[in-house]
Amino acid sequence: MRYLILEDGSIYAGEGFGSNKETLGEVVFTTGMTGYQEAITDQSYANQILVFTNPLIGNYGITLADYESIEPGIKGVICHQVANHPTNWRMQTTLPKFLDHLGIPG
């Protein structure tokens, strides 16, 4: 179980993925239907916790060729559902493994 605790004291519980470490950042959202890897590696989201409004992310995995930046600056990822078994012939790893490797909680 993971918790999102907002500055006003609101607490939201959810299932975690990625890294288990605690993080701190501004919560922002993106409405993109595709491009979750590009958003996660986009430096414009540095020091922010990124909420995806699309209900499912991770369904085509992670591919080195699709990075915006090799060192993502985001502090966390929030989504409704993450795909643990993506399918794409270009995929090199899954989104949960990618975030765990980088120390980014989801």
Side-chain angles (χ1 to χ4, degrees):
M1 185 67 60
R2 300 260 174 90
Y3 298 94
L4 173 64
I5 303 170
L6 300 179
E7 191 173 31
D8 70 357
S10 301
I11 300 174
Y12 300 91
E15 184 178 329
F17 62 97
S19 173
N20 285 326
K21 79 175 198 175
E22 290 185 18
T23 192
L24 185 67
E26 176 186 22
V27 178
V28 298
F29 69 92
T30 180
T31 59
M33 296 296 287
T34 62
Y36 59 83
Q37 180 179 341
E38 291 83 354
I40 289 169
T41 59
D42 186 338
Q43 288 301 315
S44 68
Y45 292 115
N47 300 314
Q48 297 175 326
I49 298 171
L50 188 55
V51 178
F52 287 87
T53 61
N54 190 37
L56 173 69
I57 67 169
N59 56 325
Y60 51 84
I62 299 292
T63 305
L64 182 60
D66 294 337
Y67 283 23
E68 293 293 315
S69 169
I70 202 71
E71 291 291 328
I74 65 165
K75 295 294 184 179
V77 172
I78 299 172
C79 66
H80 178 71
Q81 182 179 3
V82 65
N84 290 312
H85 304 288
T87 56
N88 185 322
W89 65 272
R90 297 176 63 232
M91 180 188 90
Q92 294 169 310
T93 190
T94 66
L95 178 59
K97 287 180 183 175
F98 173 69
L99 293 176
D100 187 37
H101 174 75
L102 294 171
I104 300 170

